[in-house]
Amino acid sequence: MAPNEILQTLGIIHLLKHFGWTWVGLLILNDDSGDNFIEALDPLLSENKICSAFMERIPKQAFFSMFHGSVVGRINVYLRETKINTFVFYGESFTAMLMFLFLKYTYMILGKVWILTAQMDLTLTSLHQPSDLQLFDGAISFGIHSNEVPGFDKFLWALKPFQTQRDSLLKEFWEQGFDCVFSENNKPVEGDEACTGREDLKNLPRHLFEMTGHSYSIYNAVYAVAHAVHEMNALKSKHKRVTKIRRGELQNQSTWKLHWFLQGLSFNNSFGETVSINQHGEVLSGFDITNVIMFPNNSYRKVKIGKLDPKTLAGNEFVIHEDLIVWHKDFKQVLPRSVCNDLCPAGYQKKKKEGKKFCCYDCDPCSAGKMSNMSDTIACSECPEDQFPSKDKVRCIHKSIIFLTFEEPLGISLVVITALFSVITMLILGIFIKYKDTPVVKANNKDLTYTLLISLLLCFLCSFLFLGKASQLICILRQTVFGVIFSVAISSVLAKTIMVIAAFMATKPGSSMRKWLGKRLSILIIFFCSFIQAAICLIWMITSPPFPELNMRSMTEEIIAECNEGSVVMFYLVLGYMGFLSLVSFMVAFLARNLPGTFNEAKFITFSMLMFCSVWLSFVPTYLSTKGKYMVAVEIFSILTSSVGLLACIFFPKCYIILLRPELNSKEQLVKKKHF
């Protein structure tokens, strides 16, 4: 009539998990039942991440006095351990009382939480006056399910020790309960120790008469047998006229044995509770979970705080009402903790201690880029790509999307510089158009000058393509416009340098270079050099064009809205070709720097190409070492710096002569002879 003990083991696990007790002590009776209990409990502890701080096997009552010194000494050490506040006790009552008596009178015991199994019945120990049960104050006890039987109290109060001659158990109870002795063979008993039989059972502690699980099981067992006998008699009556063959089958199957009728039996007892027995002869009952509240006079009260019922729906088998629990006074009504170490807070992860059980661990902060938003996390987790961990590593924060805008200070500064030099370029172009017939303008090939100034103006203006959030079209235009326009500008510088050399050579008597001094050579140079760059850009756009992208990996806390270059090789090929053109222009201008002529541009072109090459050589490592909007700012700055270098070195000296030194802007200066 007792429920399956596996259910009690599961209940202990549920209880430990409910209160977060992961570091518990086990006191197990050293017999076959204790072995079975450990065999069932141990894998469930590991499965539910609970550790046993120790396991002490307690010898049976008969052998306890032999081993009490070593056993009690070890248990006392564990009881003094402040981290172990929860103890599971599995064993019978008398052995437990002997052990706790030794502990009480030998050591000072701190308050602990005791989880008592149904095998230990405090009612059986309470008749022994020397026992002090204060140790179990606040204990949580599993007991076979019971209920109050109607009329049971009335029956108890009417009991008298002399009702039957054979009721020796009642007389023994009477003597222990009232601390008196019955006279034997009419011999008088000295003093006030004689039992009269008129003592009132109501004066004894109420818990002595509680309907325990064992009593309730006996009560239901009597009814079960009665129902089985009734069914057996009914079946006999029903089969009086069966054939001999059928009767033989029933006899061969042991139909008339009582156990056959007990299997699968189900009935309602006297107060409406259903009692069911399965086909294996096991009652389908559960356990009551009670809280033991001790009083100074060694009496106690059991308060039902929960239940363990296998007949309920899955997930509702274990029910506990935490608000009804009264803990041991040492805990001051604060929920006891029983863990090897404090839980790792959010933002930390567990780190195993070598040589220790898994319940004992250190706490390490989450590494960069990871977080944990729960306590006691085994391992920190990474945030999604569009989020980053907070400083305390307890949550993920959405990354902000960044790009170089027109509104921020850096963007405004670049816009102002771009606009300023664009205006300066247009003013210089206007000056050269106005003074197009002067010797300075004529001597430096005004058509190439106009082409260079217009290309420089477009170079300044193309900086605006790099500001703001890019679209598909903008990403394509950025690099192609930049590459082709700069190639036209450098080609124009190269053409001007070649034209200076050609002009000098044409002045020699009998030279055939005169025919190359027209527009054809300069146009051919510009077209040929620019065409190669345009072809590279076209191949780039066909094979792997740039496209807008949200870069979530480069920066920890921000998403970069940028243009993916598509093919990095093609991007650096465009830059490499520009570098090649500027290097050729620099070398040709350097060779022509000492040619005679008042308005020789070779020296200015040399300085401009030197600055241009320096800017773009430093651009590559700087570009690769920056991220986000600053990468775009570096490219804009390189565009502006190299363009300003060309504009200043080539055109500022001429503007100085045209505007401030007009006397030098004459034909006489142009044809003035110099000696080599």
Side-chain angles (χ1 to χ4, degrees), residues 5 213 225 294 326 475 583:
E5 193 172 331
V225 172
M294 301 300 305
V326 177
C475 285
L583 186 62

Side-chain angles (χ1 to χ4, degrees), residues 585-599:
S585 299
F586 171 73
M587 294 175 62
V588 173
F590 182 79
L591 294 174
R593 70 189 187 284
N594 292 324
L595 292 178
T598 304
F599 306 120

Side-chain angles (χ1 to χ4, degrees), residues 208-263:
L208 295 180
F209 305 102
E210 69 178 3
M211 175 60 73
T212 65
H214 303 291
S215 304
Y216 189 66
S217 296
I218 294 171
Y219 174 82
N220 286 328
V222 173
Y223 271 92
V225 172
H227 280 277
V229 171
H230 175 74
E231 290 293 327
M232 183 177 66
N233 291 331
L235 188 62
K236 284 182 177 180
S237 175
K238 183 178 178 181
H239 288 81
K240 281 182 178 179
R241 298 180 180 180
V242 294
T243 60
K244 292 182 179 180
I245 299 175
R246 180 60 180 162
R247 186 182 296 116
E249 288 181 11
L250 293 174
Q251 289 174 349
N252 291 336
Q253 295 175 6
S254 302
T255 305
W256 307 111
K257 290 184 178 179
L258 186 61
H259 283 181
W260 190 85
F261 293 94
L262 287 170
Q263 294 171 357

Side-chain angles (χ1 to χ4, degrees), residues 52 243 260 273 293 295 302 311 367 374 504 654 670:
S52 57
T243 60
W260 190 85
E273 222 175 47
I293 303 173
F295 300 105
K302 282 187 175 182
K311 294 181 289 185
S367 56
M374 295 185 297
F504 173 76
K654 296 181 177 62
L670 182 63

Side-chain angles (χ1 to χ4, degrees), residues 18 47 54 157 170 190 224 230 250 257 291 385 402 411 426 432 486 496 517 537 565 632 657 663:
H18 177 81
E47 184 180 329
F54 70 91
W157 306 145
L170 184 56
E190 297 180 359
H230 175 74
L250 293 174
K257 290 184 178 179
N291 181 213
E385 276 194 331
I402 62 164
M426 287 189 287
F432 272 73
F486 257 88
K496 288 174 74 67
L517 288 179
C537 291
E565 306 303 343
V632 179
I657 294 174
E663 69 276 7

Side-chain angles (χ1 to χ4, degrees), residues 136-194:
F136 293 115
D137 186 25
I140 298 176
S141 175
F142 284 84
I144 299 171
H145 171 67
S146 65
N147 215 327
E148 291 295 331
V149 178
F152 183 63
D153 289 345
K154 185 178 180 181
F155 167 77
L156 284 175
W157 306 145
L159 287 176
K160 295 298 177 183
F162 303 112
Q163 286 179 342
T164 62
Q165 295 295 323
R166 294 178 298 174
D167 201 354
S168 60
L169 177 62
L170 184 56
K171 291 180 180 179
E172 183 180 346
F173 173 84
W174 207 274
E175 289 179 338
Q176 292 191 29
F178 292 105
D179 196 17
C180 62
V181 179
F182 285 104
S183 62
E184 296 182 4
N185 301 323
N186 297 319
K187 293 180 179 180
V189 179
E190 297 180 359
D192 298 329
E193 297 180 355

